[in-house]
Amino acid sequence: MTDRHALTQTFMQPVTARNSGQDTFLQAVEEVAADVLTIEKNNPDYATAKVLERLTEPDRVISFRVTWVDDAGDVQINRGWRVQTCNAIGPYKGGLRFHPSVTLSDLKFLGFEQVFKNALTGLPLGGGKGGADFDPSGRSDGEIMRFCQAFMTELSRYIGPDMDVPAGDINVGTREIGYLFGAYKSLKGQFEGAITGKGMAFGGSAMRVEATGYGLIYFIQAMLDHAGDTLSGKRIAISGKGNVATHAAEKAICEDGIVVTLSDTSGTLIADDGFSQDAVDWVRTQKQKGADISDPPAHLNLSFEKDALPWDQSFDIALPCATQNEIDANAAHSIINAGAIILAEGANMPLTADALDKIAQSKITYAPGKASNAGGVAISGLEMSQNAHGQFESADAIDQNLKKIMQDIHARAAAEGREDGKINYRRGANVAAYRKVADAITAFGVV
Ligand code: GLU
């Protein structure tokens, strides 16, 4: 057993015992632990402070009942959470996810990832995550509004611009943020930037909606540039049909990439000659309407393969942009067989541990989500500073800023990830983020 492996196993034993059954959380912790424990061991300040062990125990976990009335007049009860993981370098910051499958384990893993992601942005942002086991599919606008209001009735006690600043995530977009912010403002009697992803009419930032997907493309451009290559003419397979997937596709098309797939749980849309902007717009509209993508209009030149994954196509770059653990060992095998040169994560932890091992052993250059999908939270950080100053920047200025932030994240991960003449972006991102958070935690003493 290597020293690194033994250290990781010893570290994980009590963490696993204390969080039994929280598999996604343990998966996220183990992946970081394997990269940073040797750094912690070799730095007496970090080791004495037990930085990583502290980070595995969120500052606090808030769980609450959400009671609301559906259109039929029936009372509905859901469970809501906010996980405030770490505020060492700034207020807790991270999205809210509404999905029937959401568990505390998922929110703890997402909060944990967010601490490292947010540190990489270079902005003063701590980490957290929240959400509810609420299924918005098939719900009317009025039901969504009442759910958001009931959710915020509880959440509003625990958030604020210097305390905790939620934003969107899966199934929480501009509409839900509008309802959540409206409820917050009315409950508090104050107009303050306690949520990001707001509409432009009430304190939102230009480019926030586009930021995660566009930022992902800026990140892979930085990777390609570093390798003396370019995105132009590259075939790109994207999974997902949501905000991240469609904006990554849109930006890739603008940069002369050939987007060959988008997908959802029912199957994959394929465009062998590349999606047009019209085709991306159609997918976006279908998603907004809650309609499926299985029957595209003929003029868009798309074909739909039921139950297929994007990874059986021929492509150079894989961008998983759907959800956690969407790529298992078999899918990783397909990505390797497709001859991909880059796999960059638009979703948070889309690879299972087995898939990650397979990709690590291949020739593919892998970019972890905490680096490659940090564009969204980065523009949330800029939204917070625009709110604090009451001054707003143009879309062009924010876009330039986004590009620069993604290039800086790339540079931080590359500087810490040099290994045998190559770059290990996973290790580089974990170590760079860990050092920043660890320096703050050790400065505070034992608190
Ligand atoms: N949910 C996004 C993420 O995973 C954005 C969070 C935010 O803007 O606070 O990073």
Side-chain angles (χ1 to χ4, degrees):
M1 215 178 342
T2 61
D3 187 36
R4 181 167 165 260
H5 187 64
L7 261 180
T8 310
Q9 293 314 306
T10 309
F11 177 82
M12 286 307 293
Q13 268 167 21
V15 181
T16 305
R18 216 170 45 243
N19 299 284
S20 92
Q22 300 191 346
D23 295 343
T24 44
F25 175 61
L26 294 169
Q27 182 187 338
V29 172
E30 184 161 352
E31 188 236 284
V32 172
D35 283 332
V36 308
L37 282 174
T38 44
I39 309 282
E40 183 159 300
K41 189 179 161 206
N42 293 326
N43 181 311
D45 289 342
Y46 297 168
T48 310
K50 297 189 179 168
V51 170
L52 193 65
E53 195 177 324
R54 272 199 232 192
L55 288 171
T56 63
E57 200 58 40
D59 286 358
R60 66 195 61 76
V61 173
I62 301 148
S63 168
F64 48 91
R65 190 186 69 233
V66 186
T67 320
W68 57 286
V69 179
D70 68 16
D71 284 348
D74 289 331
V75 172
Q76 297 284 342
I77 293 151
N78 286 96
R79 186 174 291 168
W81 293 272
R82 185 70 182 166
V83 178
Q84 297 180 331
T85 310
C86 172
N87 66 352
I89 63 169
Y92 304 106
K93 181 86 197 83
L96 298 170
R97 177 177 292 193
F98 293 165
H99 198 275
S101 70
V102 163
T103 62
L104 180 57
S105 170
D106 292 343
L107 299 177
K108 280 175 68 177
F109 114 64
L110 289 160
F112 183 80
E113 287 278 299
Q114 201 84 43
V115 172
F116 293 85
K117 182 194 306 195
N118 294 2
L120 280 174
T121 65
L123 299 168
L125 303 170
K129 202 85 181 191
D133 61 354
F134 168 67
D135 185 1
S137 60
R139 291 291 179 192
S140 71
D141 200 50
E143 290 179 314
I144 300 284
M145 181 185 74
R146 289 194 295 282
F147 177 82
C148 289
Q149 289 172 341
F151 184 85
M152 186 50 79
T153 303
E154 274 299 317
L155 186 69
S156 60
R157 302 161 194 241
Y158 310 105
I159 65 171
D162 299 317
M163 193 192 297
D164 182 352
V165 186
D169 196 80
I170 292 175
N171 288 333
V172 180
T174 310
R175 172 181 64 164
E176 290 73 19
I177 294 290
Y179 293 144
L180 289 163
F181 185 71
Y184 177 88
K185 187 174 67 61
S186 135
L187 288 158
K188 293 274 177 172
Q190 252 163 238
F191 191 106
E192 53 186 17
I195 305 182
T196 60
K198 299 186 292 296
M200 296 286 285
F202 51 95
S205 174
M207 302 299 294
R208 176 62 191 86
V209 179
E210 295 85 350
T212 313
Y214 282 23
L216 177 62
I217 300 302
Y218 293 147
F219 192 87
I220 58 175
Q221 283 184 311
M223 291 170 81
L224 287 161
D225 197 41
H226 194 268
D229 205 344
T230 155
L231 191 69
S232 178
K234 293 281 184 302
R235 294 174 66 81
I236 305 166
I238 302 179
S239 65
K241 63 169 180 184
N243 183 45
V244 182
T246 54
H247 285 105
E250 179 173 296
K251 180 51 87 179
I253 293 166
C254 287
E255 301 291 324
D256 297 326
I258 302 162
V259 175
V260 291
T261 63
L262 286 170
S263 70
D264 70 9
T265 48
S266 69
T268 294
L269 274 174
I270 300 157
D272 206 41
D273 295 333
F275 276 65
S276 61
Q277 180 63 46
D278 283 350
V280 174
D281 289 343
W282 178 78
V283 173
R284 188 175 286 145
T285 311
Q286 293 297 102
K287 160 89 180 160
Q288 277 159 3
K289 288 197 300 206
D292 66 31
I293 54 170
S294 62
D295 194 16
H299 73 274
L300 295 176
N301 289 325
L302 301 171
S303 61
F304 180 79
E305 269 186 38
K306 193 170 173 322
D307 297 329
L309 295 175
W311 320 121
D312 293 326
Q313 305 306 308
S314 124
F315 55 89
D316 307 297
I317 296 174
L319 301 180
C321 295
T323 194
Q324 68 264 12
N325 289 334
E326 60 173 292
I327 295 181
D328 60 11
N330 281 340
H333 193 65
S334 304
I335 293 172
I336 295 165
N337 278 352
I341 54 168
I342 286 177
L343 187 164
E345 298 179 340
N348 292 313
M349 204 170 75
L351 272 62
T352 64
D354 287 349
L356 194 55
D357 277 351
K358 272 210 163 7
I359 297 294
Q361 284 157 25
S362 76
K363 293 204 174 91
I364 294 175
T365 308
Y366 162 79
K370 58 175 78 75
S372 53
N373 76 30
V377 77
I379 300 311
S380 278
L382 300 188
E383 182 172 332
M384 287 161 70
S385 51
Q386 292 172 87
N387 288 173
H389 294 121
Q391 278 178 344
F392 291 85
E393 293 189 58
S394 69
D396 275 354
I398 299 281
D399 195 29
Q400 284 310 311
N401 227 327
L402 173 64
K403 191 180 245 176
K404 170 85 173 53
I405 289 170
M406 298 314 293
Q407 287 168 347
D408 289 350
I409 294 173
H410 175 270
R412 285 183 194 108
E416 290 281 7
R418 282 203 184 90
E419 221 173 67
D420 310 329
K422 289 190 310 202
I423 295 176
N424 180 338
Y425 285 99
R426 189 208 65 233
R427 183 165 191 284
N430 283 335
V431 171
Y434 169 85
R435 279 193 209 282
K436 171 143 189 189
V437 177
D439 285 342
I441 286 180
T442 49
F444 299 144
V446 181
V447 283

